[in-house]
Amino acid sequence: MKVTSSGIDIAMCSQQLINSGAGAFAGFEGWVRNYNDGHKVLQLEYEVYTPIAESEGRKIIQEAKERFDILDAQGIHRSGLLEIGECAVWVGVSSVHRNEAFDACRYIIDHIKVRLPIWKKEYYENGDSGWVNCEQCAAAM
Amino acid sequence: MKVTSSGIDIAMCSQQLINSGAGAFAGFEGWVRNYNDGHKVLQLEYEVYTPIAESEGRKIIQEAKERFDILDAQGIHRSGLLEIGECAVWVGVSSVHRNEAFDACRYIIDHIKVRLPIWKKEYYENGDSGWVNCEQCAAAM
Amino acid sequence: MNKLITVVYFAIFREKAGISEEVISTTVNSTAELFRELKDRHKLNEPLGHCKVAINDDLADWESKIKDGDTVLLFPPVAGG
Amino acid sequence: MNKLITVVYFAIFREKAGISEEVISTTVNSTAELFRELKDRHKLNEPLGHCKVAINDDLADWESKIKDGDTVLLFPPVAGG
């Protein structure tokens, strides 16, 4: 698991999971959407506490390897300012058969979203901005 | 859905599904493995009846769009000779939220594997070859 | 009445039959009957239920009727992906 | 006995507190007690159960004990992905 402030090279990332014994690869990409909860989003900023994001991410990947019969898995999360359509998070899993790759990929992204110290601030068309999932900023909008 | 005799450019394929309203992308890649049922595989050949493979593939994608709340989906399958580690099939799905993308991606690859007129011949290290899923060739090995 | 049917063989069926297609004259009415007739001639030993069939580039089933001039595609068990 | 604790604020907590970190002198024993003390001072209005905490770069929980010299990281509700 890595945190990066530059664009994610997805082709290169999945290439690293290719293994001559692997028959299946499942991948997930999270992209910056132009709308969230009815607000038009212009730009998005991820604040990441990298030491724990990376250690907790590695723990999630380790858990996935223990729970599912997979060969390898990786995850990358962006930090900093992102434009609409950019890839914010990438998860890839290789396995011998496909069901395990799908299950593990889903496990990893589900846990990345709730366990890693990452915060998302959206900048809206009307000039407002808000931290996603924070009740205070939601109430203030 | 497309059938191609040349290498699949995965980065380009997924790029085509990027959409400013899409927040999630789930992808599947099937790679040529070096072992199948205990036999070391050197090379693999896909025979495809393209007219029906493409029309039935489009039907599967249409079904996925009706069953799951997704934005777009595509699939590509190779034909001809492939080496170990090459991508034989790619499926990509974009959606607003991730669960739908995963479910639809799985639906599409599951149905591609059982409904498209595609046959796989494996060439083994010991000089034998065999059509996968055919009882006759399995019995002959 | 005899029909002229073009039969196309794929993958292991093509290898068993030794030809990729042939035109046959037959009295059978359904795809299943056609398959049984050709099965013995060409040793197509895959179970019918594992195989697929198409008529004139449309997927059909084993109860589909065939008519004079049809092209019937015989698909052994598939293995895409 | 008073402890010296370094507290680090992230995201909305940093914006509310107006600082990214501070060293405080406190008598509290647990992370939850520390959070309640700082909540009032800095108007950290997110429910405790939606927030996370780490001590010296290890994730902890709201029953974890803090000791003199610890660095406590206060994480508001996360939103990765």
Side-chain angles (χ1 to χ4, degrees):
Chain A
M1 184 80 205
K2 291 262 177 260
V3 173
T4 175
S5 59
S6 51
I8 302 176
D9 183 341
I10 292 159
M12 208 195 67
C13 295
S14 60
Q15 204 67 23
Q16 290 173 343
L17 294 176
I18 294 194
N19 170 312
S20 57
F25 169 86
F28 175 81
E29 299 168 26
W31 297 334
V32 181
R33 275 185 293 146
N34 59 355
Y35 268 92
N36 194 19
D37 281 331
H39 295 274
K40 184 154 191 190
V41 178
L42 298 181
Q43 210 182 31
L44 190 143
E45 185 173 4
Y46 282 104
E47 177 172 336
V48 181
Y49 185 62
T50 301
I52 294 185
E54 291 190 341
S55 64
E56 190 69 2
R58 282 193 295 271
K59 210 169 138 193
I60 291 168
I61 286 171
Q62 190 53 41
E63 289 164 11
K65 287 180 178 174
E66 284 160 13
R67 279 165 194 252
F68 307 102
D69 188 13
I70 59 175
L71 292 167
D72 206 356
Q74 279 302 329
I76 301 182
H77 203 295
R78 284 287 299 274
S79 64
L81 279 174
L82 277 79
E83 307 291 328
I84 305 300
E86 277 201 271
C87 180
V89 58
W90 171 86
V91 174
V93 177
S94 62
S95 63
V96 175
H97 298 292
R98 72 184 178 285
N99 286 333
E100 291 82 353
F102 275 116
D103 289 340
C105 188
R106 215 156 165 161
Y107 178 90
I108 293 167
I109 185 62
D110 285 351
H111 286 253
I112 280 177
K113 285 185 176 245
V114 296
R115 288 167 53 183
L116 268 48
I118 298 177
W119 302 273
K120 178 158 59 177
K121 189 175 195 173
E122 292 176 337
Y123 294 86
Y124 307 107
E125 198 179 35
N126 64 3
D128 285 346
S129 62
W131 291 98
V132 175
N133 290 351
C134 287
E135 306 199 348
Q136 278 309 105
C137 60
M141 282 186 55
Chain B
M1 183 81 203
K2 291 261 178 260
V3 173
T4 176
S5 58
S6 52
I8 302 175
D9 182 341
I10 292 159
M12 207 194 68
C13 295
S14 60
Q15 203 68 24
Q16 290 174 343
L17 295 176
I18 294 193
N19 171 313
S20 58
F25 169 86
F28 176 81
E29 301 168 25
W31 298 335
V32 181
R33 274 185 293 148
N34 59 355
Y35 268 92
N36 193 18
D37 280 333
H39 295 273
K40 185 157 190 188
V41 177
L42 298 181
Q43 208 182 34
L44 190 144
E45 186 174 2
Y46 281 105
E47 178 173 335
V48 181
Y49 184 62
T50 301
I52 294 184
E54 291 190 341
S55 63
E56 191 70 2
R58 282 193 295 271
K59 210 169 138 191
I60 291 167
I61 286 171
Q62 191 49 42
E63 290 165 10
K65 287 181 177 172
E66 285 160 14
R67 278 165 194 253
F68 307 102
D69 188 13
I70 60 174
L71 293 168
D72 206 357
Q74 280 301 330
I76 301 184
H77 203 294
R78 285 288 300 273
S79 63
L81 278 175
L82 277 79
E83 308 289 329
I84 304 302
E86 277 199 270
C87 180
V89 59
W90 172 86
V91 174
V93 178
S94 62
S95 63
V96 176
H97 298 293
R98 71 185 180 283
N99 285 333
E100 292 82 354
F102 276 118
D103 289 341
C105 189
R106 215 156 166 161
Y107 178 89
I108 294 168
I109 184 64
D110 285 353
H111 285 254
I112 280 177
K113 285 187 176 243
V114 297
R115 287 167 53 181
L116 268 48
I118 298 177
W119 302 274
K120 177 157 61 177
K121 190 174 195 173
E122 292 176 337
Y123 294 87
Y124 305 106
E125 196 178 36
N126 65 3
D128 286 346
S129 62
W131 291 98
V132 175
N133 290 352
C134 287
E135 305 199 349
Q136 280 307 106
C137 61
M141 282 186 53
Chain C
M1 207 193 85
N2 271 32
K3 310 169 172 73
L4 283 181
I5 302 292
T6 302
V7 182
V8 187
Y9 300 97
F10 292 86
I12 197 171
F13 285 172
R14 187 187 58 251
E15 292 184 355
K16 292 274 178 178
I19 45 172
S20 59
E21 65 176 85
E22 62 183 331
V23 177
I24 61 163
S25 173
T26 181
T27 59
V28 302
N29 292 310
S30 75
T31 50
E33 288 167 333
L34 179 70
F35 185 80
R36 276 189 286 267
E37 186 175 295
L38 297 166
K39 184 183 174 73
D40 294 336
R41 194 187 310 165
H42 294 309
K43 298 201 171 45
L44 312 179
N45 289 316
E46 304 301 323
L48 189 72
H50 295 186
C51 302
K52 293 180 198 295
V53 63
I55 302 173
N56 306 327
D57 274 359
D58 287 318
L59 281 175
D61 61 47
W62 295 112
E63 287 169 5
S64 299
K65 298 295 168 215
I66 52 179
K67 58 182 199 306
D68 187 53
D70 277 348
T71 295
V72 177
L73 315 178
L74 292 184
F75 295 156
V78 302
Chain D
M1 205 193 85
N2 272 30
K3 308 171 174 74
L4 283 179
I5 302 292
T6 302
V7 182
V8 188
Y9 300 96
F10 291 87
I12 197 171
F13 285 171
R14 189 188 57 251
E15 293 183 355
K16 292 272 178 181
I19 45 171
S20 59
E21 65 178 82
E22 63 183 329
V23 177
I24 61 163
S25 174
T26 181
T27 57
V28 302
N29 292 309
S30 74
T31 50
E33 288 167 333
L34 177 70
F35 185 80
R36 275 189 285 267
E37 185 173 298
L38 296 165
K39 183 184 177 71
D40 295 336
R41 194 187 311 165
H42 294 309
K43 300 200 169 48
L44 312 180
N45 289 317
E46 305 301 323
L48 189 72
H50 296 186
C51 303
K52 293 180 200 291
V53 62
I55 303 173
N56 305 326
D57 274 359
D58 287 317
L59 281 174
D61 60 49
W62 295 113
E63 288 168 5
S64 299
K65 298 293 168 217
I66 51 179
K67 55 181 201 308
D68 187 54
D70 277 346
T71 295
V72 176
L73 315 178
L74 292 184
F75 296 156
V78 302

